[in-house]
Amino acid sequence: MSDTVRAGPPAAPFAPLVVIPVYDHEHAIGAVVRGVLASGLPCLLVDDGSHPACAQALDALAAGYPAQVTLLRLPVNQGKGGAMLAGFAEAARRGHSHVLQIDADGQHDPTDIPRFVALSRQHPDAVICGIPAYDDSVPKARLYGRYATHIWVWINTLSLQIRDSMCGFRLYPLAPVTALVGEETIGRRMDFDSEILVRLFWRDVPVISLATRVTYPSDGVSHFDVWRDNVRISRMHTRLFFGMLWRAPRLLWRRITGAPRAGAPRA
């Protein structure tokens, strides 16, 4: 399927929306939401089929901050990617220009949101992607295991520009994301974060890295399934590799010249 970008720069004023995909993080989500609201941005909670305790916590947050927090409830669990795709669609429906993604488990620092927003204002067509600055709470197996994905992403983009594709703290320009998800199938679970970045990069969307503090996680809940998600991520890298092969001449030209080849179709 073609990767041609039909959407231009956002026509609407700079209007970001924070989207938080939530699945059974009832103990952490309140602090995350309060941290987000301190930034002054509106917040959309996407309840990804949570169990009753978390669903009730989300209802309470939406009722407690009716002017700032809205709740989108998915009837069954879709996975992190599925929740984000639903959040993108809702953000577009509401006329937002950008979506800031932050995890629900408290591992990201909401006080960094103004830094993401300021950089996005300077580069509104770019994805502002967090690079984790870990503390001692990070599991070493997870820390070192990330490098396998880093290497595959560098191969599949023929570039080192995406320094970390797995951090879920990032700010997207919504127009190219909407065009992409309308034309391509994106992984709906833990393969989502890396795949969407690679496919946006293939479409000439700049990726700008921003260091941000990351801890593991405040409520002790992780939904990463070591077996299933690693298999899913491996399959995703394989698909992307074969997609990279026919794009390789253009990606190499882009790396050499710093721009798409004049008159060439956009990969």
Side-chain angles (χ1 to χ4, degrees):
M1 187 176 292
S2 171
D3 285 341
T4 302
V5 177
R6 296 188 177 89
F14 185 78
L17 173 70
V18 177
V19 173
I20 309 177
V22 188
Y23 179 61
D24 289 351
H25 287 105
E26 62 269 23
H27 300 299
I29 189 61
V32 174
V33 167
R34 288 188 289 274
V36 166
L37 296 184
S39 73
L41 295 183
C43 177
L44 172 66
L45 300 172
V46 182
D47 179 1
D48 189 21
S50 295
H51 290 92
C54 184
Q56 291 170 11
L58 298 179
D59 287 335
L61 287 167
Y65 303 97
Q68 301 152 289
V69 176
T70 53
L71 176 60
L72 175 64
R73 178 155 281 142
L74 305 182
V76 295
N77 181 261
Q78 301 289 311
K80 180 181 182 180
M84 282 306 305
L85 293 174
F88 289 141
E90 179 64 11
R93 188 190 69 80
R94 292 167 53 173
H96 288 277
S97 65
H98 291 71
V99 163
L100 187 143
Q101 172 187 335
I102 188 170
D103 285 354
D105 59 8
Q107 67 173 295
H108 300 143
D109 184 357
T111 63
D112 276 344
I113 290 176
R115 297 174 58 227
F116 280 79
V117 171
L119 196 53
S120 184
R121 284 185 182 275
Q122 296 174 30
H123 305 278
D125 297 327
V127 179
I128 311 302
C129 188
I131 297 182
Y134 292 111
D135 63 13
D136 292 338
S137 67
V138 60
K140 294 300 185 286
R142 294 284 297 275
L143 177 62
Y144 300 134
R146 296 170 73 92
Y147 280 91
T149 281
H150 297 344
I151 291 168
W152 271 114
V153 167
W154 298 336
I155 291 170
N156 288 333
T157 59
L158 299 181
S159 168
L160 299 177
Q161 185 174 340
I162 299 176
R163 294 171 57 189
D164 189 303
S165 69
M166 300 185 75
C167 181
F169 195 2
R170 52 182 64 169
L171 202 160
Y172 300 92
L174 193 52
V177 169
T178 300
L180 171 63
V181 301
E183 297 169 6
E184 298 285 351
T185 299
I186 307 296
R188 301 180 71 87
R189 294 194 177 271
M190 294 297 185
D191 46 354
F192 165 81
D193 284 332
S194 294
E195 182 168 10
I196 193 168
L197 273 191
V198 170
R199 292 191 179 277
L200 287 171
F201 181 88
W202 285 350
R203 291 175 169 232
D204 298 326
V205 176
V207 178
I208 300 175
S209 299
L210 182 64
T212 183
R213 184 177 65 88
V214 173
T215 58
Y216 264 74
S218 67
D219 65 355
V221 175
S222 172
H223 297 301
F224 188 90
D225 185 302
V226 173
W227 169 247
R228 291 183 180 178
D229 284 318
N230 278 324
V231 169
R232 189 175 287 116
I233 289 169
S234 295
R235 288 175 177 170
M236 176 265 295
H237 289 313
T238 301
R239 291 195 310 272
L240 291 177
F241 176 76
F242 287 104
M244 175 275 293
L245 290 178
W246 69 267
R247 295 174 173 89
R250 182 181 173 279
L251 292 171
L252 289 170
W253 178 265
R254 175 177 165 185
R255 182 171 179 177
I256 292 168
T257 65
R261 186 170 72 253
R266 305 184 74 171

